[in-house]
Amino acid sequence: DMFDKTRSGRIDVYGFSALLRFIQQWRSLFQQYDRDQSGSISFSELQQAFSQMGYNLSPQFSQLLLARYAQRPPNPNPSIQLDRFIHICMQLQSLTDAFREKDTAQVGNVRLGYEDFLTMVVTRML
């Protein structure tokens, strides 16, 4: 959808070229954080990536994301692949932007009603 400028459900050659550049940039970033060159990002690598990208997330939240997006079946040492890394980062950015719109004082807290929260999530995620 990000590269379908006409909203036709298709992308032209220019949209495809933009998509390819987008993925290559994410792949480069992924490889930067994949310190052991395993082709996947572990918990410690993910924590470091979030920190360097400016997200101040607790280890518990990072573990929740890792458990949610790790390959199945459950693994004692879960890790995520490139596609899921991109997905997590895109969702974090989108929800962070939505949060910042509500956090006008930039204090890190907002007061939201349940429907406001749902609206924020649905318009950003679905």
Side-chain angles (χ1 to χ4, degrees):
D1 286 348
M2 290 172 50
F3 299 96
D4 178 10
K5 300 301 180 196
T6 62
R7 301 288 179 230
S8 64
R10 300 174 183 208
I11 56 174
D12 60 17
V13 70
Y14 301 107
F16 180 78
S17 178
L19 173 61
L20 187 57
R21 281 191 308 275
F22 177 81
I23 292 172
Q24 288 170 335
Q25 289 170 342
W26 277 108
R27 185 177 195 190
S28 176
L29 188 64
F30 180 85
Q31 289 171 336
Q32 176 185 335
Y33 296 124
D34 180 17
R35 303 251 189 253
D36 62 1
Q37 303 299 307
S38 65
S40 61
I41 292 183
S42 66
F43 172 73
S44 62
E45 292 167 333
L46 186 63
Q47 272 288 103
Q48 186 172 23
F50 287 154
S51 177
Q52 289 179 357
M53 286 189 270
Y55 294 108
N56 185 20
L57 303 173
S58 71
Q60 295 83 3
F61 186 76
S62 296
Q63 190 67 46
L64 174 68
L65 286 174
L66 188 63
R68 167 69 174 86
Y69 289 97
Q71 299 291 355
R72 304 287 187 255
N75 182 332
N77 298 311
S79 61
I80 56 170
Q81 306 290 320
L82 173 63
D83 61 334
R84 293 175 187 227
F85 176 74
I86 294 170
H87 189 88
I88 289 170
C89 292
M90 296 295 297
Q91 285 187 335
L92 276 175
Q93 183 60 50
S94 180
L95 290 173
T96 298
D97 291 345
F99 184 87
R100 285 183 177 150
E101 288 173 9
K102 303 288 185 184
D103 184 18
T104 55
Q106 300 289 310
V107 295
N109 291 301
V110 296
R111 185 172 175 100
L112 288 176
Y114 180 61
E115 194 165 323
D116 291 333
F117 166 75
L118 290 176
T119 300
M120 186 172 74
V121 171
V122 167
T123 58
R124 299 289 180 146
M125 307 309 303
L126 305 176

